Amino acid sequence: MEIKHDSTGELDVVRLKGRLDLAGAEVAEEFFAKFRKSVTSGTALVVSFRDLLYISSSGLRVLLAAFKDLQAKGGHMVLCEMNVSVEEVFRFAGLDAVFRIYATEREASESLAAK
């Protein structure tokens, strides 16, 4: 599991690569724990799944915890660029009703710019 983080000051973009399974969830959890420390009201986060091959329930749990924490602090988080199998996992878990999911990173970024 690899995580790349870019920040423009107004927008944070996290790109996930590999497998967000049990081992990957540990890496993601460590990243999001550090990221949460910098969250302020208005923090805008796009999480790109373009290079994510697989996600397990452990990965879903990490993302949901990060999402809830961002919301509690007044931040916003959207997801984008999921492959069909990853999107099916979100749909099956009912999380497509919780997260805003966009086809492209540009659409996701624009949605947060409108906030």
Side-chain angles (χ1 to χ4, degrees), residues 64-99:
L64 190 56
F67 176 76
K68 288 180 177 181
D69 196 47
L70 245 68
Q71 275 194 322
K73 294 180 178 179
H76 304 279
M77 177 177 166
V78 297
L79 313 179
C80 66
E81 301 183 311
M82 291 181 183
N83 67 41
V84 173
S85 61
V86 170
E87 191 170 358
E88 284 178 356
V89 172
F90 273 83
R91 200 172 309 125
F92 181 74
L95 293 176
D96 58 331
V98 175
F99 291 98

Side-chain angles (χ1 to χ4, degrees), residues 53-64:
L53 304 172
Y54 172 83
I55 189 166
S56 71
S57 59
S58 298
L60 293 175
R61 179 188 52 77
V62 170
L63 289 169
L64 190 56

